[in-house]
Amino acid sequence: MKAMETTAKARAGKVNWVLFNPKTYATILYLMLSLPLGIIYFTVAITGIVLSIGLTPVFIGIPLFFGVAKLLNGIVIFEQSLIRQILGLPNPPVAYSNHQQSEAEQNWLKRMVRGFDGGLFIRNLLLVLLRFVTGIVFFVVMVTVISLALGLIALPIVHIILMNEMQLDILENSLFSYFHIDWTYNQQYLLYAGVGLVLFWIALRVVNGLMQIQRRIMYVDEPYPQPSVPVEAPVQSQYYEFEEDQPAQGMMHTAYREL
């Protein structure tokens, strides 16, 4: 039972105890890199498709198109494996083809044409475009919530430094003065630091939630179905069974004649 529960938790890929879990900070690093990676993926996809369409009359665009399709598939597989490594999910089983030797004897263009899947190409292209959009949105959301939380936590230290070095009181016209609440600086420090810690915990939960959304967008738990290889049915087995039944029938006829 314990092994089954551990496997179920690993497959779920959910992050518990966000404040002390290294998966949370790995997710923050992933979302920080999502913006430049999304821009690179988007640029490569659009540039490759436009060049392949424009160079089709001179025949260079045809192999370039299949190369771009292969590259998009590699990008999606890389993103899926990266998310699995961060969340601790098991890798999917690798499907082996029965025609690897025959495909190895063909040239590279025939292998690309034979391995091309229109549905897979459209799915990968949409995922790369969506990866570009989510990279920008998730980066902005993550930076905003984490910066707000860290800013409130560091506010007491910043206020003390400014008061001692520049005699600048940034809490002079604070929210407490508008409501005529006479709180000392130490009480305000405790309030700001406490609110900042709560917001920081909420920000880490938001980061993990964004990672779960990215996991579902990239179809990490639902691999694309590969075309099944037809298996030839054994034909000779019926023939051998038929020949094995003939001696038995002959023995029955011989016994009938002796009677």
Side-chain angles (χ1 to χ4, degrees):
M1 291 293 294
K2 292 183 178 180
M4 294 177 62
E5 291 178 358
T6 304
T7 305
K9 289 181 180 179
R11 292 187 65 86
K14 293 183 179 179
V15 181
N16 298 321
W17 296 98
V18 293
L19 193 59
F20 304 102
N21 199 317
K23 292 181 182 179
T24 302
Y25 302 99
T27 301
I28 293 175
L29 180 60
Y30 171 79
L31 293 179
M32 289 181 63
L33 295 176
S34 63
L35 179 60
L37 286 178
I39 295 175
I40 293 173
Y41 298 157
F42 179 81
T43 305
V44 170
I46 298 302
T47 305
I49 292 176
V50 171
L51 285 177
S52 62
I53 295 175
L55 295 177
T56 300
V58 293
F59 188 71
I60 302 177
I62 297 177
L64 181 60
F65 174 78
F66 291 111
V68 171
K70 198 75 174 177
L71 181 60
L72 292 180
N73 190 32
I75 290 174
V76 173
I77 293 175
F78 171 73
E79 283 291 324
Q80 291 176 345
S81 63
L82 195 60
I83 296 175
R84 289 192 187 98
Q85 290 294 328
I86 293 174
L87 296 179
L89 297 172
N91 293 322
V94 181
Y96 294 96
S97 176
N98 295 330
H99 298 282
Q100 291 180 351
Q101 184 176 1
S102 61
E103 291 181 356
E105 296 175 356
Q106 300 175 356
N107 56 17
W108 59 273
L109 183 58
K110 289 184 179 180
R111 288 199 302 268
M112 284 186 176
V113 173
R114 187 171 182 178
F116 178 76
D117 187 352
L120 180 62
F121 170 73
I122 295 175
R123 191 204 72 160
N124 292 336
L125 180 60
L126 292 178
L127 287 181
V128 170
L129 297 179
L130 192 59
R131 178 70 175 78
F132 171 71
V133 177
T134 57
I136 298 175
V137 175
F138 290 173
F139 179 83
V140 172
V141 172
M142 182 195 66
V143 170
T144 302
V145 293
I146 292 181
S147 299
L148 180 60
L150 294 179
L152 289 176
I153 294 173
L155 181 61
I157 301 175
V158 174
H159 180 260
I160 294 173
I161 294 174
L162 292 178
M163 285 287 292
N164 294 333
E165 299 296 333
M166 303 176 59
Q167 286 75 39
L168 179 62
D169 188 5
I170 60 176
L171 297 180
E172 182 179 3
N173 297 320
S174 63
L175 186 64
F176 298 96
S177 62
Y178 288 104
F179 292 97
H180 303 285
I181 300 175
D182 190 13
W183 276 18
T184 62
Y185 285 144
N186 292 331
Q187 290 174 336
Q188 296 183 33
Y189 293 162
L190 291 176
L191 178 63
Y192 286 130
V195 173
L197 288 175
V198 174
L199 287 180
F200 185 69
W201 179 80
I202 295 174
L204 295 183
R205 300 292 295 183
V206 170
V207 167
N208 290 324
L210 295 177
M211 189 61 169
Q212 295 298 327
I213 295 174
Q214 188 70 25
R215 167 188 174 185
R216 288 173 174 81
I217 289 176
M218 296 303 295
Y219 291 96
V220 174
D221 301 323
E222 300 175 6
Y224 188 80
Q226 299 295 330
S228 58
V229 181
V231 180
E232 296 181 356
V235 181
Q236 296 180 354
S237 59
Q238 298 178 358
Y239 175 75
Y240 289 126
E241 291 176 359
F242 177 74
E243 285 191 349
E244 289 176 359
D245 293 336
Q246 284 184 350
Q249 294 178 0
M251 292 175 64
M252 291 176 63
H253 286 295
T254 304
Y256 178 77
R257 288 177 183 176
E258 289 178 357
L259 291 175

